[in-house]
């Protein structure tokens, strides 16, 4: 198997949970370099990875083909540009960049240098989202007319992370963080909307970046898609509510990969590594061919973030399609920017 050498730009939560375990377990990747500015935490589990004290040092000295930019979003533009200029392919954490113009510049640079640029949209590989895709593909809901997608948490106290909660920092707040997942899923499921209206603010107060948003996406075929997130949600909701002219589907958010990875679970390669559900997590109600109402309790199948890295590997080795390529995710950035503008101006924003 061809071995792809990878360098990791940081070894914080993102590196420890979402990237390093998969790079270690996938036989086609070798994490040969990692940036740790002062510590050496990676040595325990990844002793073969050379530790560098800066991204610049790693890019100058490491023999790597792919760079994972998993630093705070405010640094993404600088480090992705630096890696592309060094001739490296790049995987960058969501939300890609702070602004659309930055994202477009990086996409153009990657194309000019004939390098790939992929955004780590791992929630495309969540079990609950995959179940929604499956139900929509079956067509039992008929023509979809209304959808709501939520991603809620109960985190009423400040985290102390400046890059996420300082309102003076461009790119901070839930709109760029969780919003990047919800916007991506909406676009993947229904395409790019025609216009939107949004309400974005901080429930914790003006001293903190936005922690609440509600976006209403308008589509030409009379479809309405609502995206919503709050950090003041103690009781769970259905994460997905989809209504069509023949039925409805309600899906809970049940993917537990992040929690399992954070607890130290090893993501096995080539097989499912999560425990199966013990009970149903969805409700499908629809009219059958005889116009009879059917109500079915559904159970989502396994999600697996390893599939993201498998697709990256297949792109490198076999030339298969690249997952969440940069110029595709630029569209998401346009929606995020428009949502912030809509909330600030209090009006509907037309999207081009």
């Amino acid at each position: 198997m061809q071995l792809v050498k990878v360098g990791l730009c940081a070894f914080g939560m993102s590196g420890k949970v979402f990237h390093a375990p998969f790079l270690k377990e996938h036989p086609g990747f070798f994490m040969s370099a990692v940036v740790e500015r002062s510590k050496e935490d990676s040595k325990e589990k990844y002793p073969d990875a050379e530790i560098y004290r800066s991204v610049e040092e790693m890019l100058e000295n490491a023999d790597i083909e792919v760079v994972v930019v998993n630093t705070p979003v405010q640094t993404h533009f600088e480090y992705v540009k630096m890696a592309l200029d060094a001739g490296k392919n790049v995987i960058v954490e969501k939300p890609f960049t702070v602004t659309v113009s930055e994202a477009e510049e990086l996409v153009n640079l990657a194309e000019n240098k004939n390098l790939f640029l992929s955004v780590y949209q791992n929630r495309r590989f969540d079990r609950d989202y995959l179940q929604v895709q499956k139900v929509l593909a079956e067509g039992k809901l008929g023509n979809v007319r209304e959808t709501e997608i939520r991603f809620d948490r109960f985190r009423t106290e400040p985290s102390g992370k400046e890059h996420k909660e300082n309102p003076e920092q461009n790119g901070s707040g839930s709109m760029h963080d969780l919003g990047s997942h919800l916007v991506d899923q909406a676009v993947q499921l229904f395409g790019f909307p025609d216009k939107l209206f949004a309400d974005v603010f901080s429930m914790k107060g003006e001293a903190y970046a936005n922690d609440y948003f509600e976006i209403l996406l308008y589509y030409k075929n009379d479809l309405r898609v609502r995206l919503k997130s709050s950090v003041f949600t103690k009781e769970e909701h259905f994460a997905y509510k989809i209504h069509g002219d023949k039925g409805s589907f309600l899906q809970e958010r049940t993917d537990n990969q992040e929690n399992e990875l954070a607890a130290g679970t090893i993501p096995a390669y080539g097989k499912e590594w999560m425990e199966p559900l013990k009970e149903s997590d969805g409700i499908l109600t629809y009219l059958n061919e005889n116009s009879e109402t059917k109500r079915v309790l559904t159970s989502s199948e396994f999600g697996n973030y390893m599939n993201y890295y498998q697709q990256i590997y297949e792109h490198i080795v076999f030339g298969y399609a690249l997952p969440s390529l940069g110029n595709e995710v630029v569209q998401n950035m346009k929606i995020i920017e428009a949502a912030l503008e809509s909330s600030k101006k209090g009006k509907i924003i037309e999207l081009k």
Side-chain angles (χ1 to χ4, degrees), residues 63-261:
D63 178 22
I64 51 179
E65 183 177 347
V66 179
V67 172
V68 178
V69 177
N70 59 320
T71 52
V73 62
Q74 292 83 4
T75 66
H76 285 185
F77 176 76
E78 175 188 0
Y79 289 151
V80 173
K81 189 173 188 297
M82 195 182 297
L84 292 172
D85 283 334
K88 312 298 184 183
N89 296 296
V90 176
I91 295 168
V92 58
E93 268 282 357
K94 58 82 194 168
F96 196 175
T97 59
V98 171
T99 66
V100 170
S101 60
E102 288 179 343
E104 289 177 334
E105 182 176 339
L106 294 176
V107 167
N108 291 333
L109 180 61
E111 291 178 351
N112 290 337
K113 290 184 172 292
N114 197 29
L115 297 166
F116 77 69
L117 175 56
S118 173
V119 182
Y120 185 67
Q121 293 285 357
N122 62 308
R123 298 292 175 180
R124 294 186 186 184
F125 302 90
D126 279 356
R127 66 183 307 146
D128 33 66
Y129 170 69
L130 294 173
Q131 180 70 8
V132 169
Q133 278 190 317
K134 177 183 176 182
V135 169
L136 287 175
E138 291 173 348
K140 292 179 180 178
L141 304 182
N143 296 311
V144 176
R145 287 290 175 256
E146 179 188 2
T147 293
E148 179 178 307
I149 307 176
R150 300 184 66 117
F151 201 141
D152 296 312
R153 288 171 171 165
F154 188 69
R155 296 181 179 177
T156 60
E157 297 298 322
S159 69
K161 296 179 180 179
E162 280 285 304
H163 68 280
K164 287 192 173 184
E165 292 194 330
N166 184 348
E168 302 300 320
Q169 289 259 29
N170 290 333
S172 63
S174 291
M175 188 66 259
H176 274 79
D177 186 16
L178 294 179
S180 63
H181 290 308
L182 299 191
V183 168
D184 183 69
Q185 292 186 357
V187 172
Q188 288 295 302
L189 294 172
F190 303 111
F192 195 72
D194 299 292
K195 53 188 178 181
L196 63 77
F197 181 77
D199 180 23
V200 185
F201 75 104
S202 174
M203 286 186 165
K204 288 195 290 288
E206 294 182 357
Y208 302 97
N210 63 79
D211 55 20
Y212 169 95
F213 64 81
E214 184 170 2
I215 310 171
L216 182 60
L217 304 176
Y218 300 82
Y219 289 82
K220 286 181 179 177
N221 59 354
D222 294 329
L223 168 67
R224 297 289 185 269
V225 176
R226 189 180 305 276
L227 310 178
K228 192 169 182 179
S229 178
S230 167
V231 294
F232 280 75
T233 306
K234 184 66 172 174
E235 189 69 30
E236 293 289 339
H237 301 267
F238 283 104
Y240 303 85
K241 300 176 183 178
I242 306 173
H243 306 288
D245 57 12
K246 292 186 179 180
S248 296
F249 180 58
L250 308 178
Q251 171 66 45
E252 297 177 33
R253 188 173 298 283
T254 53
D255 193 279
N256 202 38
Q257 290 181 79
E258 179 177 346
N259 292 333
E260 288 292 327
L261 291 164

Side-chain angles (χ1 to χ4, degrees), residues 268-307:
Y269 172 78
K271 61 181 180 179
E272 306 300 347
W273 53 275
M274 293 290 296
E275 292 293 325
L277 289 178
K278 296 181 180 180
E279 53 188 31
S280 61
D281 61 346
I283 303 171
L284 174 62
T285 307
Y286 65 99
L287 297 174
N288 66 10
E289 60 275 8
N290 297 320
S291 295
E292 299 168 332
T293 297
K294 297 293 183 180
R295 189 176 188 271
V296 181
L297 298 181
T298 61
S299 295
S300 59
E301 299 177 0
F302 296 96
N304 194 345
Y305 298 157
M306 183 68 81
N307 291 336

